[in-house]
Amino acid sequence: MTKQRLTWVDVTKGFLMILVVIGHFPGDLDYPLLQYIYWFHMPAFFVLSGLFFKPLAKDEPIRKAVKKRFMQLTIPYFFFLLVITCIRYILAFAYGNTDISWYMEDLSTLIIGGRYARGSYGVFWFTTVLFFTYILFLLLTKYLNRFYQFFVLAICYIIAHIQSYYVIDVIGGSSAEASQTIPILWNLDVTLIALVYFAIGYYAKDLFLHIRLPLWTICTVSSLLAMYLAWIDQFDYHLSLKFIRYNDALMDLIIPFIFIITIFGIFQFITRFTPFKALKFIEMQSITIMYMHISVDKQMNNFFDYGLVGYTVLCLGISIIGSLVIKKFIPYGLFFIGDIRAKRPILFNSKLFIT
């Protein structure tokens, strides 16, 4: 893969991370920006992960690959889970909350994770789903031929939409509340549809890495048309992986695809002329931004009355500062935010953690 392609991928990830932050804006908007973002931004992350997936040879052991991915994803997961929880509990106790049952109930939701972990933990579901998506796809590509891989993916997609139909159309009401009537640990049921987006990134790698102008034009025009129709209330489409809101099997493929092609194509073109260093810098801090930005808002909105722009700038800025502080001043900070090649605590030097 050329340096240019790596550049556009990093820039795209930085842009998508900004959209993640914007997507959690707690206020109301007079236009459907958040709806547009949810149409594609999470599928795009799974597609990008699929782009860089490397299948194992038949004689290559799975254990090493799984352990490496486990370390990369779960070390930051538990690090930020611990940090955020400690801060929350210290503040809760300082404000007079001495109800032990509240802390126990709160801890139980953190153990279950996924869609049950709300508020400051709103993004944690992505890590667990990505990890199990990776494992499942690793198994598919190692033990099944291409025909059976597609067969399993089709079954997963069908089951995912049956479940979503049950949540959205049978249970009804708010998807956030309805989805919680299905008690699945760590949102593992979302792996069913995430696996399909991941696979699309892998199987259509050449298409995504070399987006042609005719395809980009068609997808861009289609994306703009979909946005316009939604703006005038002529296109009622919603997508939320976390809360199992993907009950339109056709559009759940088409809409993310056309938007992903549009965004990837834009950055493939732009990075031919400029490296977009600001977005690359944001991508470098993306782990901390992902885990911290909601907590930043939870604290800052007590002191500031901000709109979308102020919210985005403040959450990005403080999260970036937090990332730099962790890397520079926290012992083993680089390791705790996902760099498993960095210096690590003695605990993690045992065979159990060495990849």
Side-chain angles (χ1 to χ4, degrees):
M1 186 166 297
T2 66
K3 183 177 180 180
Q4 177 185 327
R5 290 180 204 154
L6 288 174
T7 298
W8 79 258
V9 168
D10 289 341
V11 168
T12 302
K13 287 181 178 179
F15 175 73
L16 290 173
M17 187 51 58
I18 294 175
L19 295 186
V20 169
V21 175
I22 294 174
H24 291 118
F25 177 62
D28 295 321
L29 299 175
D30 296 327
Y31 43 91
L33 174 62
L34 304 187
Q35 181 181 353
Y36 298 154
I37 290 173
Y38 276 81
W39 282 357
F40 70 93
H41 77 314
M42 296 316 300
F45 280 111
F46 288 108
V47 167
L48 282 170
S49 296
L51 277 178
F52 298 98
F53 173 82
K54 294 182 179 180
L56 298 177
K58 288 187 177 180
D59 59 346
E60 193 174 356
I62 288 180
R63 183 170 175 269
K64 183 176 180 180
V66 171
K67 186 186 291 188
K68 179 180 179 180
R69 199 65 173 147
F70 177 82
M71 294 285 287
Q72 289 173 333
L73 292 174
T74 62
I75 295 299
Y77 179 95
F78 287 110
F79 172 73
F80 284 103
L81 183 69
L82 178 63
V83 170
I84 292 172
T85 303
C86 286
I87 293 174
R88 284 184 60 240
Y89 287 3
I90 289 171
L91 290 175
F93 189 79
Y95 282 106
N97 185 351
T98 57
D99 184 357
I100 298 299
S101 63
W102 180 89
Y103 291 96
M104 297 303 294
E105 182 179 352
D106 190 75
L107 282 172
S108 68
T109 63
L110 300 185
I111 293 171
I112 299 172
R115 51 186 167 269
Y116 296 91
R118 307 286 292 275
S120 297
Y121 309 95
V123 299
F124 280 66
W125 71 272
F126 173 74
T127 301
T128 53
V129 171
L130 179 59
F131 176 62
F132 284 97
T133 297
Y134 172 82
I135 292 177
L136 286 178
F137 199 68
L138 193 68
L139 294 172
L140 282 181
T141 53
K142 184 172 176 62
Y143 294 113
L144 300 179
N145 62 33
R146 188 61 61 92
F147 173 81
Y148 285 109
Q149 290 171 26
F150 287 161
F151 179 76
V152 170
L153 289 168
I155 295 299
C156 288
Y157 196 68
I158 291 170
I159 294 174
H161 280 81
I162 291 174
Q163 182 192 31
S164 182
Y165 170 79
Y166 175 76
V167 168
I168 303 302
D169 298 303
V170 176
I171 298 177
S174 165
S175 60
E177 301 305 321
S179 63
Q180 292 192 43
T181 63
I182 302 177
I184 302 294
L185 193 68
W186 304 327
N187 261 31
L188 295 187
D189 47 353
V190 178
T191 303
L192 292 170
I193 192 169
L195 185 66
V196 175
Y197 293 128
F198 190 99
I200 289 172
Y202 174 71
Y203 295 126
K205 181 180 301 185
D206 290 339
L207 183 149
F208 285 115
L209 292 177
H210 308 279
I211 295 174
R212 306 302 181 186
L213 182 59
L215 177 62
W216 180 84
T217 302
I218 292 171
C219 290
T220 301
V221 171
S222 300
S223 299
L224 292 173
L225 177 61
M227 292 170 68
Y228 172 71
L229 291 175
W231 187 291
I232 62 173
D233 295 323
Q234 295 301 308
F235 181 50
D236 185 23
Y237 173 71
H238 298 270
L239 182 67
S240 173
L241 301 193
K242 178 179 179 179
F243 295 118
I244 323 179
R245 190 172 188 177
Y246 32 82
N247 56 333
D248 189 326
L250 183 60
M251 286 299 157
D252 294 337
L253 289 176
I254 293 176
I255 295 298
F257 178 81
I258 62 176
F259 274 85
I260 289 170
I261 290 292
T262 298
I263 299 300
F264 285 12
I266 288 173
F267 287 115
Q268 284 181 19
F269 177 77
I270 292 177
T271 51
R272 295 178 185 176
F273 308 100
T274 175
F276 250 117
K277 292 183 178 180
L279 288 179
K280 287 185 68 175
F281 177 75
I282 289 174
E283 190 278 331
M284 292 171 62
Q285 325 306 326
S286 60
I287 295 295
T288 305
I289 293 172
M290 181 181 76
Y291 284 114
M292 277 188 59
H293 72 275
I294 299 179
S295 292
V296 170
D297 172 63
K298 294 293 182 184
Q299 300 305 317
M300 291 298 103
N301 65 19
N302 293 319
F303 305 100
F304 299 99
D305 183 16
Y306 41 60
L308 178 63
V309 175
Y311 157 84
T312 305
V313 171
L314 194 64
C315 289
L316 276 175
I318 294 178
S319 297
I320 288 172
I321 292 172
S323 178
L324 297 176
V325 168
I326 291 171
K327 291 178 179 180
K328 190 172 181 62
F329 298 107
I330 301 296
Y332 313 109
L334 285 171
F335 177 75
F336 287 131
I337 59 175
D339 185 355
I340 60 175
R341 297 167 300 179
K343 185 177 180 181
R344 59 180 68 186
I346 296 176
L347 172 65
F348 294 94
N349 285 325
S350 66
K351 289 184 178 181
L352 180 64
F353 298 102
I354 298 296
T355 60

